[in-house]
Amino acid sequence: MLFRIWLNLSRMLVCMRRKQSVLNEENHAMEKINQDIKLKKKHQRRIKRNRFIWNFFKVSLVILLIFGIYAFDASNTSRIRTLKISGNTTLSDQEIMDALKIEKGDRLAFTHSFVKESKAKKIPGLESIDVNVYYTKGYVSVDVHEVPAVAYQSEGGLKLYYADGYSKDLDENQSNLVLGLPILVGYTEDTISKMMLQYLGELEFEAFSAISEIHHNPQTYDPLAMKLYMNDQYLVYANVETLPMMYMYATLLSSASDGNKCIELNEYGPDEDSSTVTIRACTTDEY
């Protein structure tokens, strides 16, 4: 009887130990699971925190960049502080500035040399232009090369003519622009030949500066014939085709006899020997 009781108690103790062991294992597994869950949550919180910090950094960087750009744009450093236009005589600074769409205070970032130079091609009376932008100094230099002005007209208002055929009206206070240029007399818009203006622009300075007046002198054989009044009291008869012969004006003067002050340029050849020139005395009605 006692043996059976002992046996049962032993069995009960074994079962309790087994249950305790199972419980311990289950508790250990649960603790590990809970620990893994805590670690996972901690890792997720770290990821979220790092992501928030990174996003905050990116947003802050963008805001600082925008503010920096705005502050720079609002400052004098980003603007044209000095604008210098040189080389122009008949075209005003304002005409060039308006055509280039540039002025003091404009943004340097939008001022590019090649863009401005391409716009300059549309300016009448302008042969070429060099635009230099010094971004660190806020300095823009515009060097102008004009088409030479070759004549002017005073009938019906002061008008300036260029070698490329362009003409512009002048104000009374711009009369200094025509100093040293020959005046066109008796001409209309229809009788002013672009080729005549071109040839005048190609003359050497000595011959060109000797011309005082160019009178329209139409003939039955040539409606565009002209008479040139020279500063040295000579008269030169020419037309559009023979006008380039003026390059030998100094040579013609040296061969002219005393009293022969009328020069007729009859035919323009490839050289002086094949050119036909008549030098004679002028009649009283020719002046």
Side-chain angles (χ1 to χ4, degrees):
M1 185 71 177
L2 290 172
F3 178 75
R4 288 182 177 176
I5 293 172
W6 179 84
L7 185 60
N8 289 334
L9 288 172
S10 298
R11 290 176 177 173
M12 289 177 63
L13 287 172
V14 171
C15 288
M16 289 178 64
R17 286 176 182 173
R18 287 179 178 174
K19 288 182 179 179
Q20 184 66 36
S21 176
V22 171
L23 287 173
N24 288 339
E25 289 179 359
E26 289 179 351
N27 288 336
H28 179 72
M30 287 297 296
E31 287 178 1
K32 189 173 184 313
I33 291 172
N34 289 334
Q35 187 177 6
D36 289 343
I37 291 173
K38 287 180 180 179
L39 289 174
K40 186 175 181 181
K41 288 182 177 179
K42 186 176 180 181
H43 179 68
Q44 289 176 342
R45 286 196 298 270
R46 186 183 297 114
I47 291 175
K48 288 181 179 179
R49 183 172 62 253
N50 291 341
R51 187 178 299 163
F52 172 79
I53 293 173
W54 175 242
N55 289 336
F56 179 77
F57 173 76
K58 288 193 294 184
V59 171
S60 300
L61 186 63
V62 171
I63 292 174
L64 286 174
L65 183 62
I66 293 173
F67 178 77
I69 293 173
Y70 172 78
F72 177 76
D73 184 68
S75 69
N76 255 352
T77 308
S78 68
R79 307 289 173 146
I80 297 175
R81 300 188 292 280
T82 304
L83 176 59
K84 182 180 179 182
I85 300 176
S86 59
N88 55 315
T89 54
T90 62
L91 296 173
S92 68
D93 289 357
Q94 194 60 49
E95 284 179 290
I96 296 170
M97 290 165 58
D98 291 343
L100 296 181
K101 298 188 184 311
I102 186 173
E103 61 182 17
K104 190 176 178 180
D106 284 351
R107 290 178 173 87
L108 281 166
F110 298 151
T111 306
H112 303 287
S113 299
F114 67 92
V115 174
K116 299 302 181 184
E117 288 174 2
S118 64
K119 288 183 178 180
K121 296 178 181 178
K122 301 177 182 178
I123 304 177
L126 191 65
E127 185 174 343
S128 64
I129 194 170
D130 296 318
V131 179
N132 296 299
V133 183
Y134 303 91
Y135 293 97
T136 57
K137 299 179 180 180
Y139 176 72
V140 176
S141 170
V142 181
D143 190 15
V144 176
H145 307 279
E146 295 179 339
V147 174
V150 294
Y152 73 98
Q153 196 173 32
S154 61
E155 301 172 15
L158 202 59
K159 179 171 284 192
L160 189 64
Y161 290 89
Y162 293 81
D164 62 354
Y166 170 65
S167 63
K168 64 177 292 187
D169 294 323
L170 300 179
D171 298 329
E172 292 181 0
N173 57 358
Q174 295 177 299
S175 58
N176 62 304
L177 298 180
V178 304
L179 294 177
L181 299 178
I183 184 173
L184 300 177
V185 180
Y187 279 93
T188 64
E189 291 296 326
D190 295 332
T191 55
I192 296 177
S193 168
K194 288 186 177 181
M195 188 171 290
M196 177 187 73
L197 299 176
Q198 177 186 334
Y199 286 154
L200 286 172
E202 294 173 354
L203 289 178
E204 294 182 0
F205 176 76
E206 291 76 9
F208 178 77
S209 60
I211 304 173
S212 175
E213 301 178 9
I214 302 176
H215 288 240
H216 184 215
N217 187 39
Q219 304 294 324
T220 55
Y221 59 89
D222 188 356
L224 295 181
M226 64 189 77
K227 181 164 61 171
L228 282 62
Y229 285 77
M230 312 302 288
N231 289 322
D232 49 14
Q233 307 303 313
Y234 277 80
L235 290 180
V236 177
Y237 291 89
N239 55 41
V240 174
E241 286 74 20
T242 60
L243 188 58
M245 293 174 66
M246 285 296 295
Y247 80 90
M248 55 180 179
Y249 179 67
T251 303
L252 295 175
L253 291 187
S254 63
S255 61
S257 302
D258 292 340
N260 292 343
K261 293 208 174 265
C262 279
I263 302 173
E264 296 178 358
L265 307 179
N266 300 316
E267 185 178 355
Y268 181 39
D271 52 54
E272 292 187 22
D273 294 333
S274 57
S275 299
T276 305
V277 179
T278 301
I279 303 177
R280 60 175 176 80
C282 301
T283 61
T284 56
D285 61 342
E286 287 184 280
Y287 283 98

